[in-house]
Structure formats: C-alpha cells, structure tokens
Amino acid sequence: MIVSLLMTVEKSEPLMSRLVNVEDSMHLGELSQVIDAAFGFSGAASHLYMGQGREGAPREVLSATPGPGERAEEQVAVSQIKQVTYVYDPSADWNIHVEVLGSSRLDGPTPLLVDALGPDVVEACNGPAMMTRFHAEARRITAGLDPQMDVAPLLLSFLPVMSPERLLQRLAQADQVTVSERISFVAEDLFLDTADAAQADPRTPQFAAEFEDFLDTRPDLREILSYDPSPERNPTLIAAMAEFFEDALGAPLPDDTDAVHESFAVVLLEVLVQPRKRLKLTSTGALPPAHVATIATELGLGTPSPHTRESSVPQIRVIRRVLTEAGLLDESAGWLSLTPRGEDFLHDPAGLEAVLEEVRAGFATVLGAEEWRATLNWLGRLFGIPHATPTQPPRDEQAAADLMLALGVLEPDGQLTPSGGMFLALMLGDAHEQR
C-alpha cells in the first residue's frame, strides 16, 4: 500500500517541508535515505528516530546501530508508525517531523515527490536557526542594504559564489526537479539491491530472454528505452523492472545438501560458505537478498522470499556480525570476505575450540555481555547444563530463542538439539562433562 508522508523541519523559517509517497512496507533505514534526498542532506552524518512514547514513558529510540534499550530502525516499517521525529546529526539541530497523512489512491512508482515547500538545507548551518538568519541577510543584500558583518561573512563562506538574487532564491525555495531527481537516485539504489539477486543467480541468461519477452508486452517501456537519455533513472521503468524481478526470481535455488546442523561448527560453515571468498554487499552494507534467502533456508528459518532483506532476518545479521567480531569474516569497502583464519576454519570446521574465545567475545560484543550471559544461563538452567547460574532471563526471550534456533541449539519446538548442550557448555566454559 502507498502512503503519503509529510516531512517538516522543526523550527524552520521559511517553512521547509516535503510531501512524499512511499510504500508502507519500506523500513525506516530505507526511509532515512529518502528524507536525506528530499531535503538535500549529504547522508554523511549519523541519524536516529525518536518514536512517540506512551504517556509518562521515555520516547523510543530507533537507530541504525541500536544500543541498550533501543530498537533497530530496519525492524520497523512505515506501516507501523503514525509519526516520528527524524534526527539528522544528533550533535546539530536538524529535527524532521515525519507524519503519515494516510493511504494514497495513486498507483505508481515510489518513492515519489508530491510537493516541496521551502529551500534545501544548508547542512553546515547545524540547524534551521542559522538558515533563518541567512535568509534575512540575503534579503538585505538583494535589496541593496548594507550587510550585517556578523552574518554576511558566514553566509558567503557557507554557500557557493552566486548573485544576490540567486542567493535569495536558494534560501527561499528548492527546485522541485532537483529534489525529484535526488529521490529517483534513492529509488534506483533500492531497486539495485533487488537486482543484485538476479546477478548472482545462474538463471540470469534465462532472465535476459524472459525480460525481452516482457518488454514485447509493454510498448511503453520500449518507448522509454528508445527516447529517454537516462532510462536507468526513469521511475516507470524502475518500477516495472522491480516487478519483473520479483516475479522471475521465484523461490530460492534448491540446495543439494540436507539442512541438518549437527553441531555449531556446521552452522558456522554454512554461513562462511556464502561469501565464496568475496561477496559484494548492498549499498546499505547488507547481504544480498539471494544469500539471505539461501542462508535462512539452510538454517531452518522457514522459506523466505528471494528478495527478503537481511534486516528482516535479524538472526542472520547477528551471526554475521559475530563472525566478523571473531575475526573469521572481514568487511571493508563494501565487500565481505573470509579472513585467513576463516579459511582455516572452513577447511577444518571441527576445530571450534581454536576460535572459541573469539566466538565468545563476538557474541558478548554484538549482543552485549550481560544479555549474552543471561541468555546462556537462562537456557543452561532450563535444560540442566552444569554450572549455569541463576540469573534474570534475557530482555527479549523470543529473540534469544530465535537466535538459538538459527544456531542449531534449539529445535523448532523449543527442545534442545544433541549439539545444543555441547554448545551451551562450551559457551559457559564447561565443555569437559559434555564431550
């Protein structure tokens, strides 16, 4: 379903707002890219969302890298919010109020700019207050008045050299075509994340022939390809291609091996095999959807769609981050690859003890030392693992159980697997009695 979002920079004068139509299935991590493009933020600074807390309760924080008490922005879709505050660069004063106005009857490509009111941001101002002063000073200069020397030098240093009239226009109203083009670039990036799944699929030659047949049924797309100088940015073509890939990719490729994990080492092996020495991550730093679907199927996490994003299967992201913290995987410059130690483990998966301390430290870093210890002792006492100590249960028992299911520690019915006891004993530091 398509919904209309009104985004307004708080305390801005002239008022800075954007009305944008998006799919309600878009998660807030993707939405942040749309907001940045809509207002002209560079995206170089960090950001977070402040949700509407219950009366008397603190406001909920949603972040790309959540800390204690925070939620991951990629776990929250637009359909789950009514209004939030987007904070760009928490050290500055760029707060954007985002409100869902309702569902749209328009049926077309998204994200789509409907209206742009007010100028683009001048990010270096660190907030709208200085932009208001800049606007007032630009009016003075354009009117031929003497400049105010406490503001004019900053104004001329923060913005490119231009005529007074153009300077005033820049600080009064954004060019809607430019804003639309920036948003179209975001739409293109989001689409390419889906297209990456096709590039990694051995059926790509078949897709090429099927896409030609698809174009034969859509003369309007043929016309775009013939006359548009930049068809790869055309929103109609992008939407049509996304629809084609969703239909053509179908189910994940069948696996020749049984997805039965008899030990934690086998689980690590399944995840390590995926990079194939070196794997290109998406523009948001996530695993390509095709790999997410394959890993999720191998780990017994159901049968996901081939365009399922890593953010919707948090267990996979946790395992990947643990392996990276443990030094078995390396993530740099948008690529994921095996480290020399990861290659050694790949050739000898039985040697879990060789990387045991690193794996323990990885879980403690990614989940938090207290949360990881609580999870281990909670399950250890539940299943009678020696040396498990009384403790509070983990903050999110369901998330902890889902992770243990992905690791092969628990069965889908919640029972301990044969290798689960060994894993818990190893992580608790008492493997002697379990060997």
Side-chain angles (χ1 to χ4, degrees):
M1 182 174 64
I2 298 175
V3 296
S4 299
L5 299 182
L6 179 61
M7 310 167 182
T8 307
V9 177
E10 297 178 355
K11 303 177 184 177
S12 59
E13 185 181 347
L15 183 66
M16 302 162 67
S17 71
R18 306 289 187 263
L19 184 61
V20 181
N21 281 1
V22 302
E23 292 286 344
D24 67 349
S25 58
M26 173 181 285
H27 63 68
L28 298 190
E30 296 170 329
L31 180 63
S32 67
Q33 300 177 53
V34 176
I35 298 174
D36 290 350
F39 288 101
F41 289 113
S42 66
S46 60
H47 68 267
L48 54 87
Y49 290 90
M50 299 291 291
Q52 297 294 319
R54 297 177 181 176
E55 185 175 355
R59 301 182 70 182
E60 182 180 28
V61 176
L62 304 123
S63 170
T65 55
E70 300 177 353
R71 292 179 65 192
E73 62 182 25
E74 294 182 345
Q75 296 178 353
V76 180
V78 172
S79 60
Q80 297 173 263
I81 66 171
K82 292 185 178 179
Q83 52 185 349
V84 294
T85 299
Y86 176 73
V87 180
Y88 180 83
D89 190 357
S91 64
D93 192 30
W94 293 116
N95 299 327
I96 293 89
H97 181 75
V98 181
E99 179 182 0
V100 179
L101 298 184
S103 59
S104 172
R105 297 185 180 182
L106 296 179
D107 186 13
T110 58
L112 173 69
L113 177 69
V114 177
D115 178 59
L117 179 64
D120 279 336
V121 300
V122 179
E123 188 173 326
C125 286
N126 288 331
M130 182 60 74
M131 280 197 65
T132 299
R133 297 186 65 188
F134 280 177
H135 180 257
E137 184 62 18
R139 284 190 304 187
R140 290 178 56 86
I141 296 174
T142 305
L145 301 176
D146 292 336
Q148 295 180 336
M149 297 311 296
D150 63 330
V151 180
L154 282 176
L155 169 62
L156 298 177
S157 65
F158 278 28
L159 290 169
V161 177
M162 59 184 76
S163 67
E165 293 80 8
R166 178 70 186 91
L167 188 64
L168 180 59
Q169 181 183 6
R170 162 68 180 85
L171 293 167
Q173 183 62 46
D175 177 52
Q176 296 218 19
V177 175
T178 301
V179 177
S180 294
E181 187 175 53
R182 290 199 303 257
I183 292 177
S184 73
F185 289 152
V186 173
E188 181 181 354
D189 286 342
L190 296 178
F191 160 73
L192 287 177
D193 287 350
T194 302
D196 282 344
Q199 296 176 0
D201 199 303
R203 295 171 291 178
T204 297
Q206 175 188 342
F207 290 158
E210 292 178 357
F211 188 64
E212 285 295 321
D213 294 338
F214 173 69
L215 289 178
D216 289 339
T217 66
R218 295 286 302 273
D220 57 322
L221 301 182
R222 289 284 190 191
E223 187 174 358
I224 291 173
L225 290 170
S226 299
Y227 296 108
D228 193 329
S230 301
E232 70 279 1
R233 299 177 184 173
N234 187 286
T236 301
L237 184 60
I238 290 173
M241 291 182 70
E243 179 183 351
F244 167 78
F245 280 119
E246 287 177 4
D247 293 338
L249 282 172
L253 289 175
D255 192 356
D256 295 331
T257 62
D258 293 331
V260 178
H261 310 291
E262 297 179 352
S263 70
F264 178 60
V266 176
V267 176
L268 289 181
L269 179 63
E270 295 289 356
V271 180
L272 284 172
V273 164
Q274 296 307 314
R276 304 293 183 189
K277 302 295 185 181
R278 197 162 182 252
L279 174 67
K280 178 66 176 176
L281 299 174
T282 68
S283 59
T284 56
L287 289 174
H291 290 277
V292 174
T294 303
I295 295 173
T297 301
E298 290 174 345
L299 298 185
L301 304 179
T303 307
S305 163
H307 46 84
T308 297
R309 296 179 180 272
E310 187 184 26
S311 57
S312 63
V313 193
Q315 306 94 308
I316 292 178
R317 169 160 290 189
V318 168
I319 294 173
R320 178 164 72 93
R321 290 175 60 193
V322 168
L323 295 180
T324 303
E325 291 289 339
L328 303 179
L329 293 179
D330 177 68
E331 181 179 338
S332 59
W335 291 87
L336 185 69
S337 58
L338 284 168
T339 64
R341 192 158 196 181
E343 290 193 27
D344 291 341
F345 183 83
L346 185 63
H347 294 125
D348 183 23
L352 176 60
E353 287 82 356
V355 293
L356 182 60
E357 289 305 318
E358 289 84 351
V359 171
R360 279 178 180 161
F363 277 110
T365 300
V366 173
L367 298 176
E370 290 188 12
E371 181 72 359
W372 179 233
R373 193 180 306 111
T375 299
L376 292 176
N377 285 295
W378 170 60
L379 289 174
R381 287 183 60 80
L382 183 64
F383 294 106
I385 305 298
H387 300 291
T389 59
T391 183
Q392 292 291 327
R395 291 192 301 270
D396 190 339
E397 294 184 12
Q398 186 59 54
D402 290 343
L403 175 61
M404 291 301 171
L405 174 64
L407 294 172
V409 175
L410 297 180
E411 299 281 6
D413 61 2
Q415 296 301 309
L416 193 67
T417 65
S419 63
M422 181 192 74
F423 170 76
L424 292 176
L426 284 172
M427 291 297 107
L428 285 167
D430 179 36
H432 179 73
E433 295 182 14
Q434 298 295 316
R435 291 175 182 168

